[in-house]
Amino acid sequence: MKLDGIKVLDLSLFLPGPHFTMMMADHGAEVISLEPTGGEPVRQVGLTQNGQSVWFRNVFRGKKSINLNLKTEEGKQAFYRLCETVDVVVEAFRPGVVKRLGIDYDTIKKINPRIVYCSISAYGQTGPKALSPAHDLSIQADSGALSINEGQDGNPAQPAMPVADMAGSLMAFSGVLMAIIRQQQTGEGDYLDISMQDSLVAWYANVMGPPFAENRSPTPKQERSWGGAALYNIYKTLDEKYLTLGGSEIKFAYNLLMAFDREDLFELCKLPPGIAQDPVKIFLSEKFAEQPLAHWETFLNNIDVCWAPVRELNDAIRDEHLAHRDMLLTDNQGNYHLGVPIKYQNEPAQPNFSLPEFSQDTKNVLQSLGYSDDEIKVFQNNKVFL
């Protein structure tokens, strides 16, 4: 696999760090998770299947679990010795914590100059908000994403997806892989300062017209991506279900309106999104409300137009196309797992569905670092690990 031979030490918790290091594990990296006393919190969060949290299973498969008390000198020295053997360190503490613990990048690079050290935080390691605590919702709110996630009542709506978390995960993943390439070319490591807010804002490429060109915030229901375009919108059907039109290219507008014998509305679709397209939106709203979703599935499948039904999540994840793409997997116990989205023709991912018990690998990892059984017993007695 692509990452065979790469060794990762992951101190992060919850979603951004664990998600991206799991993707590394799927592609062959050895990922050692250093869990705090009590374990990764998501072991206990949400619904379970066969005794394991579904969330935990979706971020932790194929990893090893160790526990070291980094506030003890013995635990810190064991951490240093482990850092000598790894390629990547990932942490997601609040800025300043790793410095106080003595496990920051400047300390570790003296031990291992090749180390790629990735810090993931809400606002980054520098700037006025660096020390502010925040999870996904707060980052979305503070970065403007929540204001454009407007409900039909005109108020900000609770976001359905943790896009700040996942943007941070993917930026960290990309950054670490680039640093590994350079590490292998030069023998030198690097430090990555990944901000969830930076990562989210970098996703705004297609929505920054109003702020950049006109120095104003968007009016969501009048903008192309959020309801202003007739051919990029959500419509209710007779049976209280919904469908979406998802392609604003003018050819799709022509194809659909010709099928409805309403070529007279076509010129309106050439106008900028907003009030000018309201007559088209009104017509489509009334038209789609005349028949149930099943009728429109047959009708629209015979027209070259971008459209999709609004599926409930439980139905959508079991769609035959996702099954064909191996995005819903099951292990030997019948537990469900999300699949691997990065699909290589050569050396494809081989997700390992095993999940470690808390700290199950600590002794083996310490032994691999040269600690004797007697030293490990002393560590246990001194509560260096649990």
Side-chain angles (χ1 to χ4, degrees):
M1 289 187 283
K2 300 299 184 187
L3 296 180
D4 282 345
I6 299 296
K7 193 171 181 179
V8 181
L9 177 58
D10 185 5
L11 287 71
S12 66
L13 304 172
F14 293 105
L15 193 52
H19 179 262
F20 104 75
T21 59
M22 184 197 71
M23 289 192 289
M24 295 187 75
D26 284 344
H27 290 278
E30 178 185 355
V31 179
I32 301 171
S33 177
L34 198 165
E35 297 189 63
T37 300
E40 160 66 68
V42 303
R43 287 179 178 271
Q44 313 300 328
V45 176
L47 297 177
T48 62
Q49 185 183 17
N50 292 328
Q52 296 283 2
S53 156
V54 173
W55 181 349
F56 179 69
R57 189 162 65 239
N58 281 327
V59 296
F60 223 85
R61 66 183 178 219
K63 298 181 182 181
K64 295 179 179 178
S65 170
I66 66 171
N67 167 246
L68 292 173
N69 184 351
L70 298 177
K71 295 181 180 179
T72 66
E73 187 59 30
E74 298 94 335
K76 194 176 299 181
Q77 291 302 319
F79 180 86
Y80 293 156
R81 195 180 296 189
L82 181 55
C83 285
E84 294 176 7
T85 72
V86 304
D87 302 283
V88 179
V89 170
V90 180
E91 66 90 7
F93 295 110
R94 196 180 298 191
V97 171
V98 290
K99 179 72 172 178
R100 291 196 297 272
L101 289 173
I103 60 170
D104 55 298
Y105 172 64
D106 288 338
T107 300
I108 301 306
K109 76 174 180 179
K110 294 175 183 177
I111 299 169
N112 181 356
R114 291 175 51 84
I115 202 72
V116 173
Y117 193 112
C118 179
S119 294
I120 305 174
S121 61
Y123 290 104
Q125 303 296 308
T126 62
K129 296 180 181 178
L131 298 180
S132 299
H135 286 293
D136 181 89
L137 179 61
S138 298
I139 293 296
Q140 290 202 47
D142 201 22
S143 305
L146 207 59
S147 71
I148 55 180
N149 190 62
E150 185 179 289
Q152 291 301 311
D153 58 3
N155 297 321
Q158 187 81 13
M161 293 296 295
V163 292
D165 280 342
M166 300 311 291
S169 169
L170 295 177
M171 292 297 183
F173 187 36
S174 301
V176 164
L177 293 181
M178 286 190 283
I180 289 174
I181 292 172
R182 195 63 172 163
Q183 175 200 68
Q184 294 178 342
Q185 292 172 338
T186 67
E188 296 180 2
D190 207 341
Y191 177 74
L192 286 81
D193 172 7
I194 299 294
S195 155
M196 290 163 53
Q197 184 179 52
D198 293 351
S199 302
L200 177 60
V201 169
W203 279 14
Y204 289 172
N206 68 320
V207 301
M208 293 305 293
F212 283 3
E214 298 180 348
N215 193 30
R216 66 175 177 86
S217 294
T219 305
K221 289 187 178 63
Q222 304 303 328
E223 307 294 344
R224 184 190 69 84
S225 296
W226 308 312
L231 269 288
Y232 206 89
N233 226 310
I234 304 169
Y235 296 98
K236 184 186 288 188
T237 60
L238 179 63
D239 51 351
E240 300 291 315
K241 296 182 180 179
Y242 294 86
L243 62 84
T244 62
L245 299 178
S248 54
E249 294 93 333
I250 200 66
K251 66 177 182 178
F252 296 132
Y254 180 80
N255 294 341
L256 182 62
L257 292 174
M258 285 293 288
F260 282 138
D261 197 25
R262 287 302 307 266
E263 188 178 357
D264 59 297
L265 295 173
F266 176 61
E267 291 301 316
L268 296 179
C269 295
K270 296 180 180 180
L271 299 175
I275 295 174
Q277 292 198 22
D278 278 357
V280 187
K281 287 187 280 185
I282 291 170
F283 165 72
L284 292 174
S285 294
E286 293 173 349
K287 193 67 178 177
F288 286 127
E290 293 176 357
Q291 297 288 345
L293 180 59
H295 169 85
W296 296 120
E297 287 180 338
T298 301
F299 180 85
L300 293 170
N301 281 338
N302 291 314
I303 302 171
D304 183 25
V305 61
C306 286
W307 85 280
V310 177
R311 299 179 186 271
E312 292 188 0
L313 180 60
N314 192 45
D315 296 329
I317 198 64
R318 289 170 169 79
D319 182 76
E320 63 178 356
H321 180 77
L322 287 178
H324 178 83
R325 299 285 299 170
D326 292 326
M327 287 307 299
L328 182 62
L329 306 175
T330 55
D331 59 27
N332 291 334
Q333 292 182 302
N335 298 313
Y336 290 113
H337 299 257
L338 293 175
V340 181
I342 300 173
K343 292 176 168 60
Y344 292 108
Q345 180 172 302
N346 300 323
E347 301 177 323
Q350 297 178 24
N352 176 354
F353 298 133
S354 64
L355 293 172
E357 298 296 328
F358 170 67
S359 194
Q360 75 170 35
D361 301 295
T362 304
K363 289 183 181 179
N364 288 338
V365 169
L366 290 173
Q367 287 171 340
S368 73
L369 298 175
Y371 286 98
S372 67
D373 290 343
D374 288 340
E375 288 175 309
I376 292 172
K377 287 180 182 178
V378 172
F379 278 14
Q380 285 183 298
N381 292 336
N382 293 342
K383 295 185 179 180
V384 175
F385 72 91
L386 300 176

